[in-house]
Amino acid sequence: MSIKDKLDTANIPEHVAIIMDGNGRWAQQQGHVRLFGHATGVESVREALKAATEVKVKYLTLYAFSTENWNRPKEEVDGLMDLLVTTIANEIESLNENDVRLDAIGNTDELPEKCRQELKNAIDRTKKNKGTCLILALNYSSKYEIKSAIKKIAQKYKDGEIELDDISDQLVSDHLYTAGLPDPELMIRTSGELRISNFLLWQLAYSELHFTPIFWPDFKKEDFFQAIYDYQNRERRFGKVSEQLNDAQG
Ligand code: IPE
Ligand code: IPE
Ligand code: MG
């Protein structure tokens, strides 16, 4: 029996975010160059997306390239950008067949021209789809995102558009790349690293975190379902005590 059959369909997270990590180590362990790991990781993106679609996760955010990743050797950065361009172009048809809408967060204006074009084209050609929304975090930095939100809000205050007391959680959320999206209920990180690496710092405030030692190229649909299964067995207390949650009056 697949773990999928054990899932409570009434308790599927609306938004799942994934730090896809371990491509380089996976490749090197087998004597390949790191880029081979990235290329193989594309298959895991398909697996995760398929799994998300099957259980009707509404938003799937994948951390594909951080602002810090520009500091890698040029050959790897160039290879990743090329892979992005070819993958996005190749997947449009399949995204449309599966009713998947593509979107992106991050400072995408600073991506190479070819990437920006392919991304824009794919976002445009999938924008009417109503199924799962696949959000790629590209040239993404959570600190930059928060800093930009602070600047925009400060400007509005300066211009007299808002009062200090208008600065609420909601207002901050509305000024992030993820404005309008629910915060992820579940965040998965592969490869055994136990850190957030500048990903969705505000949005993950109350997310359940799932760390797995599996390297991203080995991550399959069953692993995605397993993460949701674990999530469903957590008690999300949001500061309360257990008894309150079990008590309808709580
Ligand atoms: C994740 O795999 C992909 C990107 C960051 C683009 P890594 O390339 O970080 O692989 P490891 O962590 O070095 O094994
Ligand atoms: C985080 O992975 C970024 C992405 C998955 C795109 P990294 O491999 O870059 O993270 P660190 O540097 O090990 O924290
Ligand atoms: Mg890594």
Side-chain angles (χ1 to χ4, degrees):
M1 182 165 105
S2 161
I3 304 162
K4 185 184 162 191
D5 302 318
K6 292 198 276 178
L7 296 179
D8 172 2
T9 52
N11 186 22
I12 299 291
E14 213 185 343
H15 187 174
V16 176
I18 308 183
I19 302 178
M20 311 182 286
D21 199 13
N23 293 349
R25 277 165 287 164
W26 180 87
Q28 283 167 328
Q29 266 188 0
Q30 307 174 45
H32 292 292
V33 294
R34 295 176 54 85
L35 274 172
F36 180 67
H38 297 312
T40 311
V42 173
E43 186 48 44
S44 298
V45 171
R46 291 193 194 101
E47 289 270 325
L49 180 59
K50 248 187 280 167
T53 309
E54 280 179 26
V55 295
K56 299 194 169 54
V57 166
K58 196 89 195 82
Y59 303 95
L60 177 67
T61 299
L62 302 179
Y63 202 4
F65 195 87
S66 72
T67 54
E68 290 79 14
N69 288 145
W70 294 112
N71 298 321
R72 293 190 177 194
K74 184 176 182 314
E75 199 183 72
E76 182 167 344
V77 172
D78 290 348
L80 277 166
M81 291 301 145
D82 288 347
L83 185 64
L84 195 66
V85 170
T86 47
T87 306
I88 292 175
N90 288 341
E91 295 299 313
I92 296 180
E93 211 171 308
S94 152
L95 294 177
N96 279 330
E97 272 164 24
N98 293 294
D99 206 18
V100 174
R101 184 161 64 86
L102 183 71
D103 209 345
I105 56 171
N107 200 347
T108 52
D109 289 349
E110 282 177 5
L111 290 168
E113 172 68 18
K114 190 87 188 93
C115 274
R116 270 186 289 145
Q117 276 174 8
E118 284 301 343
L119 194 62
K120 191 173 168 293
N121 178 44
I123 290 174
D124 208 49
R125 284 179 55 192
T126 60
K127 69 178 180 216
K128 296 210 176 88
N129 293 339
K130 296 273 182 291
T132 300
C133 179
L134 171 65
I135 302 157
L136 297 180
L138 288 167
N139 193 21
Y140 177 85
S141 155
S142 183
K143 282 197 173 180
Y144 178 88
E145 178 183 37
I146 293 171
K147 202 166 55 188
S148 305
I150 292 171
K151 284 189 195 169
K152 284 184 231 159
I153 292 168
Q155 188 66 49
K156 286 187 181 169
Y157 176 70
K158 197 173 154 208
D159 295 344
E161 287 175 36
I162 55 168
E163 307 280 331
L164 269 189
D165 284 344
D166 292 331
I167 303 176
S168 59
D169 285 5
Q170 187 60 50
L171 189 89
V172 175
S173 293
D174 290 345
H175 286 81
L176 301 173
Y177 294 126
T178 49
L181 303 181
D183 288 339
E185 293 95 331
L186 171 65
M187 195 287 287
I188 302 169
R189 182 171 190 152
T190 58
S191 91
E193 303 297 352
L194 306 178
R195 55 179 172 269
I196 303 293
S197 301
N198 204 5
F199 188 47
L200 303 176
L201 300 176
W202 174 275
Q203 298 88 335
L204 294 179
Y206 251 115
S207 305
E208 296 299 326
L209 307 180
H210 179 93
F211 295 100
T212 165
I214 299 169
F215 288 139
W216 180 249
D218 284 332
F219 192 86
K220 299 284 172 264
K221 265 164 64 173
E222 282 297 289
D223 302 307
F224 187 89
F225 296 140
Q226 180 68 51
I228 295 191
Y229 185 73
D230 289 353
Y231 161 84
Q232 293 188 338
N233 286 290
R234 305 264 183 101
E235 183 176 66
R236 306 191 76 200
R237 288 191 288 278
F238 298 102
K240 295 185 178 180
V241 299
S242 269
E243 289 72 16
Q244 289 174 292
L245 302 174
N246 300 327
D247 170 3
Q249 307 301 309

